[in-house]
Amino acid sequence: MNPKRKRRLTIVLAILVSVSVAVGLALFALKQNINLFYSPTQIVAGEAPEGARIRAGGMVVEGSVIRDTESLLVRFELTDFAQTVPVEYTGILPDLFREGQGIVAQGAVDERGVFTAVEVLAKHDENYMPPEVAEALKAAGTLPTPEPEVFNK
Amino acid sequence: MAKNKTDKNWMPRWFYQLASPRWCYDITGKLLPAFGVLALVLLLGGTVWALLFAPADYQQGNSFRIIYIHVPSAILAQSCYIMMAIAGAIGLIWKMKVADMVAKSCAPLGASLALLALATGAIWGKPTWGSWWVWDARLTSMLILLFLYLGVMALHSAIENDTTAAQSTAVLSLVGLVNIPIIKYSVEWWNTLHQPATFKLTEKPAMPPEMWLPLLVMVVGFYCFFAVSLMLRLRNEILRRERRSSWVQALAESR
């Protein structure tokens, strides 16, 4: 390579390296702000601001969903398999909402320690399979379930 | 002179041949029909396979089938950006006109693909998540990719001189390259609503073969379609920039 091209190559590499370092540091500094939601562990530990509008993400605990017979009020528990937070929501839930499903809820923690949600979104995992396979796996008890790390990054 | 000679040998011959707009025009003309047929067959076959024969998902039912468009367009939008940045860098370092033209031709294609990925994602997100749009790391970084493409296009059209425009956009695309690993790893680094990757290099896909085989066909089909569109744009660009050269004039007269 002639010196001119070598110098231009160095400049291009320098741009790449310096931009990566700068953006990397910025993202590292903003780590908590980029997370879409707090996990139940963080909420129980008091890391999430109390009373402020936040998002909570986790799995709906099996057998915890209680629907009010008079209204659209739903109570359930949200877990990351380490801690559990009770959630209350009034409204229509997404189709994918069910026990054992990952969700992200928007709302605030009140003084009782209950998370009052104003919006519930279903969080889909990366597993896809035909219904027959899912049923066979369920019968065998080997249906893939998310791990605590999925909600704690 | 001796120095120049070693410089020539540093890269393979075909790389230097590509630097000639005329040679590039000829070779793409020969490659076009093959890629065109391949794209048509793969996309048609893949679509039929994906829509009619692939099984439905156990949770999402038939709505999951949008991944057969969503995933290929998202993958390609990123590949296209990498290609645009590399072509831009080659243009900067080696002052190769064809590389500049490739970079310029990539931008609108990549923008359309990024837009397609975002749109299909939103359409899928509404029934699945319950929301068209969420400001999570994956969706936001993908939106930034779209804006980068639009920025590159705007910058290119704002500068009159082709060489200066190519240099400025090359620097912009190189700066934006940092976004690509962010898109890829956003779902691993941060809590996001978007699910993690179904396909990982080191693990078995979290999807049975009867679902991912049509997806693979679609991805390859998208790449072929991209190759066709890129070559068409590139050939137009070559003719436009070389319009004063004798071979283009001869070509125009022979038609």
Side-chain angles (χ1 to χ4, degrees):
Chain A
M1 268 177 123
N2 70 31
K4 245 183 173 169
R5 287 177 188 165
K6 212 169 221 167
R7 206 188 63 225
R8 290 196 293 252
L9 178 66
T10 323
I11 295 174
V12 166
L13 291 177
I15 293 176
L16 284 179
V17 171
S18 50
V19 170
S20 320
V21 169
V23 172
L25 287 173
L27 290 178
F28 185 74
L30 290 170
K31 189 166 181 5
Q32 195 51 62
N33 293 316
I34 298 172
N35 280 325
L36 185 74
F37 54 81
Y38 289 95
S39 67
T41 304
Q42 287 173 307
I43 293 173
V44 169
E47 279 179 47
E50 201 175 312
R53 173 72 69 85
I54 58 163
R55 286 200 195 86
M59 287 270 289
V60 180
V61 177
E62 298 269 0
S64 73
V65 180
I66 302 160
R67 285 172 205 269
D68 193 278
T69 46
E70 303 290 305
S71 67
L72 286 173
L73 179 72
V74 187
R75 284 197 186 85
F76 56 88
E77 283 175 350
L78 199 61
T79 183
D80 59 356
F81 306 102
Q83 295 290 346
T84 304
V85 169
V87 181
E88 279 184 8
Y89 174 67
T90 306
I92 296 161
L93 291 160
D95 290 351
L96 238 59
F97 180 91
R98 64 198 73 182
E99 292 174 356
Q101 173 74 43
I103 62 142
V104 173
Q106 202 183 118
V109 186
D110 65 11
E111 59 282 358
R112 298 171 294 158
V114 176
F115 187 87
T116 313
V118 290
E119 185 188 38
V120 174
L121 301 177
K123 178 168 162 56
H124 190 258
D125 63 17
E126 70 272 33
N127 298 304
Y128 294 82
M129 60 188 90
E132 313 84 71
V133 176
E135 249 157 59
L137 286 184
K138 209 168 190 174
T142 50
L143 199 66
T145 48
E147 290 168 20
E149 295 83 57
V150 171
F151 303 105
N152 279 300
K153 283 178 186 151
Chain B
M1 272 320 273
K3 183 138 185 108
N4 236 341
K5 216 170 174 187
T6 51
D7 198 34
K8 283 264 174 212
N9 294 334
W10 192 67
M11 281 278 181
R13 208 171 108 88
W14 61 265
F15 183 73
Y16 284 95
Q17 279 180 324
L18 271 180
S20 144
R22 182 178 187 176
W23 196 84
C24 193
Y25 185 86
D26 289 342
I27 192 80
T28 48
K30 285 187 193 118
L31 289 175
L32 255 179
F35 275 95
V37 170
L38 215 56
L40 193 74
V41 170
L42 288 173
L43 286 180
L44 273 179
T47 309
V48 171
W49 190 356
L51 293 184
L52 300 181
F53 299 105
D57 181 59
Y58 76 119
Q59 282 196 318
Q60 306 169 49
N62 283 320
S63 73
F64 102 98
R65 290 179 205 276
I66 205 161
I67 65 160
Y68 294 112
I69 303 288
H70 178 73
V71 171
S73 53
I75 293 177
L76 207 57
Q78 296 170 74
S79 306
C80 177
Y81 194 91
I82 296 173
M83 185 174 181
M84 181 172 80
I86 291 177
I90 292 174
L92 272 183
I93 298 165
W94 281 275
K95 302 277 172 206
M96 210 183 262
K97 254 197 285 183
V98 175
D100 289 349
M101 299 184 208
V102 170
K104 189 191 172 189
S105 314
C106 276
L109 295 174
S112 337
L113 288 162
L115 190 66
L116 183 63
L118 288 169
T120 49
I123 293 168
W124 176 84
K126 184 63 188 166
T128 316
W129 295 339
S131 171
W132 297 101
W133 184 264
V134 172
W135 290 101
D136 83 347
R138 171 57 72 82
L139 276 65
T140 310
S141 54
M142 199 63 196
L143 187 66
I144 292 173
L145 183 73
L146 175 64
F147 289 159
L148 277 169
Y149 276 126
L150 298 180
V152 165
M153 285 159 69
L155 187 61
H156 212 294
S157 59
I159 302 172
E160 195 90 352
N161 181 294
D162 278 326
T163 319
T164 330
Q167 284 176 346
S168 326
T169 51
V171 172
L172 177 59
S173 358
L174 283 169
V175 168
L177 198 59
V178 73
N179 191 35
I180 297 294
I182 296 178
I183 297 178
K184 171 95 175 77
Y185 293 106
S186 53
V187 288
E188 289 177 28
W189 290 341
W190 301 292
N191 288 331
T192 55
L193 187 61
H194 194 288
Q195 63 267 33
T198 297
F199 302 94
K200 292 182 192 116
L201 279 179
T202 50
E203 284 171 40
K204 239 170 60 175
M207 192 184 241
E210 61 265 39
M211 281 176 164
W212 64 252
L213 274 174
L215 184 57
L216 183 70
V217 172
M218 287 301 275
V219 170
V220 178
F222 261 70
Y223 269 99
C224 292
F225 173 75
F226 171 73
V228 171
S229 327
L230 182 67
M231 286 193 275
L232 286 173
R233 285 193 156 270
L234 178 63
R235 282 160 67 83
N236 266 342
E237 189 62 21
I238 290 175
L239 290 183
R240 193 184 67 79
R241 294 254 312 244
E242 299 292 304
R243 61 190 176 276
R244 285 189 199 88
S245 68
S246 55
W247 71 271
V248 175
Q249 306 236 328
L251 193 75
E253 271 159 34
S254 69
R255 288 288 162 93

